[in-house]
Amino acid sequence: MRWGVPIAVIAVVAGAIGAGPVIAAVQGEPVLPERTAEQLLADAAQATQSGLKPMSGTVMQTASLGLPGLPDVTGMGGSSPAALLAGSHELKVWYGGADRFRFALPGRMSETDLIVNGDQAWLWESEANKATRIKGAAQAGPDQQKAMPTATTPQQLAGELLKRTEAGTVVSVSNTEKVADRPAYQLVLAPKDASSLVKEVKVALDGETFVPLRVQVYAKSAAEPAFEVGFTSVTFTPPAPDNFAFTPPAGTKVEEKSLSDLSGGPEAQRERAEELKGEATTVGEGWTTVMVLPSKDLMGQAQPEKGERPGGQDQNAIADALLKAAEPVSGTWGSGKVIRTKLVSALLTDDGRLLVGAVTPDKLTEVAGQR
C-alpha cells in the first residue's frame, strides 16, 4: 500500500503549515451553521486527535505534480510507487477500530489488501497470488506498528496539515461544500510568502462529525489541484465483520513475516534511518521551510528481493528520469542541478548536498548560499 511515495512529496507541504492565522471571510449561501476559522481548526484538531470513528468508504487520490520525464511503469501494477505519482487511484477503507481495519488498493487487473482483524493480520497481493501473514501485529508497540504497510487517508494528511498554522497563513472558511454527498465546511489555507510554490490548501470537514473528508493542494498558476485525496463515498457506521475475515484462496503462496521483515528487516536500515535524522537539517519555517541533507540519500538503491515486485527498480527509474530533466544552475555557493515540479523543488549541489522544499528554485539557491 505505497501511497506513502506521493505523500512524501506532500509532507514537505504539511511541514510548512505551522498559530495565530489571519482570518478572511468567505461569503456563500449557508448550508451549515456558521463557524469561525478558529472554531473549525479546534473542531478538526479534536476530530483527528480523538481517533477515527468506525466507518467505511472509498477514497480517491489524484496526483498531477508535473514530474518531468516520468517513466511509464504502469505495467508494474496500480500500487507501483511511480504509478501513484500521476493520475487517479482508488482506495477502499473499512475501519472498525484500532485492531480491526482493512485497506484495499485495486490495480488494473489486481488488488492489494491489508486486513487486520484482532490478532490476525494479512497482506494479500492478488497479482502475485501471494498472502503474507504478519506475525506479532497484535502485540506490537507503537514503534513497531510503524512498520505496517499503510495507506494515506484524508484524515491522516489533514491531521498533519492542521497540527500547525502560522502567522504567514491566511485562513478562510466556507460552509457550502458537499463531499461524498455530505454537507461540509471547508478551510482554505493560503501562504503569504511569494517564494512558496503552494497557492492554497483546501481541507473539507464533515459538517456533522468534523472528520476531514478531502484535502486538496493547489500549486500557483493552476486551476486544478496538484494533489488531492478525498472520499467519494463514506458511511460513519461500523462495518460488517465479514469485511475483516480473510482466508487465503486455494493455490495461494502463503508466507509469514514479522513487522521488522516488512520494514526492510536489516539492522543496517534502521541504523541508517537514525543516521539520516542526524544528518538532515531544516532552514526557515512555515511554508518556505527547506530541508538540507546529503544528496547520496536521494540515490539510495532499494533493490528488490528475489521474487518480489521490482519496487526498487521502479524508484531508481524515477530518480534517473528526474536527474535527466534537471537543469544546471550556479552561483556564489557553487554549482549543481535543480529539479522543479508544481509543488516541490530540489537542488543537488556538486559539493554533495540535497536541498528540497515547496519553494521556488531561487529560494533553494538562496539557502544554499547561506550554508
Side-chain angles (χ1 to χ4, degrees), residues 2-332:
R2 297 175 179 172
W3 286 41
V5 175
I7 293 301
V9 177
I10 306 303
V12 177
V13 180
I17 304 179
V22 178
I23 307 301
V26 172
Q27 302 298 323
E29 182 182 352
V31 173
L32 295 167
E34 291 187 2
R35 298 184 74 79
T36 66
E38 292 96 333
Q39 289 172 320
L40 282 176
L41 287 168
D43 293 334
Q46 178 63 33
T48 55
Q49 292 170 8
S50 61
L52 188 61
K53 296 177 173 62
M55 52 79 66
S56 60
T58 300
V59 176
M60 186 67 72
Q61 174 194 293
T62 302
S64 178
L65 302 176
L67 291 167
L70 190 68
D72 181 7
V73 292
T74 54
M76 294 181 181
S79 60
S80 162
L84 292 171
L85 287 169
S88 297
H89 302 273
E90 185 180 83
L91 173 73
K92 295 183 181 298
V93 180
W94 297 264
Y95 186 82
D99 64 344
R100 199 178 302 272
F101 57 87
R102 178 176 182 172
F103 296 134
L105 183 62
R108 182 175 296 176
M109 296 291 292
S110 63
E111 182 169 296
T112 302
D113 289 58
L114 173 67
I115 307 110
V116 175
N117 188 10
D119 60 355
Q120 296 286 319
W122 289 92
L123 182 63
W124 161 241
E125 300 169 272
S126 70
E127 186 176 25
N129 196 29
K130 185 175 73 174
T132 303
R133 185 176 181 273
I134 305 171
K135 297 182 296 184
Q139 294 78 31
D143 291 338
Q144 293 173 302
Q145 288 175 354
K146 293 178 182 178
M148 290 282 284
T150 57
T152 298
T153 62
Q155 294 95 318
Q156 291 171 312
L157 182 54
E160 291 300 316
L161 290 166
L162 296 172
K163 281 179 181 177
R164 326 162 186 84
T165 50
E166 46 109 36
T169 304
V170 175
V171 183
S172 55
V173 179
S174 66
N175 62 344
T176 59
E177 294 298 314
K178 207 160 195 178
V179 179
D181 206 30
R182 294 180 65 90
Y185 294 97
Q186 183 160 268
L187 285 165
V188 182
L189 315 172
K192 291 182 177 180
D193 196 318
S195 62
S196 172
L197 293 178
V198 178
K199 175 184 178 182
E200 59 189 13
V201 175
K202 297 181 179 181
V203 181
L205 307 174
D206 183 69
E208 179 183 351
T209 65
F210 301 108
V211 168
L213 298 179
R214 185 183 64 200
V215 178
Q216 298 169 306
V217 184
Y218 288 79
K220 289 183 175 176
S221 304
E224 300 296 326
F227 181 85
E228 176 176 356
V229 57
F231 283 98
T232 57
S233 64
V234 65
T235 302
F236 290 100
T237 55
D242 288 351
N243 290 302
F244 310 111
F246 178 76
T247 300
T252 298
K253 178 184 177 182
V254 178
E255 297 181 347
E256 281 200 358
K257 289 188 177 182
S258 65
L259 290 178
S260 60
D261 291 334
L262 288 173
S263 64
E267 185 66 28
Q269 282 201 15
R270 291 190 288 272
E271 291 177 356
R272 183 67 191 122
E274 291 300 319
E275 182 183 341
L276 180 57
K277 288 181 182 178
E279 293 176 351
T281 59
T282 58
V283 179
E285 59 184 12
W287 297 93
T288 55
T289 300
V290 174
M291 179 177 290
V292 184
L293 65 160
S295 61
K296 64 180 182 292
D297 292 302
L298 181 69
M299 301 306 296
Q301 302 296 303
Q303 297 299 332
E305 298 178 10
K306 185 177 181 181
E308 296 291 326
R309 293 168 60 97
Q313 295 174 3
D314 186 351
Q315 295 176 33
N316 292 339
I318 299 170
D320 289 344
L322 291 175
L323 290 175
K324 287 178 182 178
E327 299 179 357
V329 64
S330 62
T332 56

Side-chain angles (χ1 to χ4, degrees), residues 340-352:
R340 174 171 176 166
T341 70
K342 290 181 181 179
L343 285 177
V344 178
S345 296
L347 171 64
L348 292 87
T349 66
D350 291 343
D351 59 10

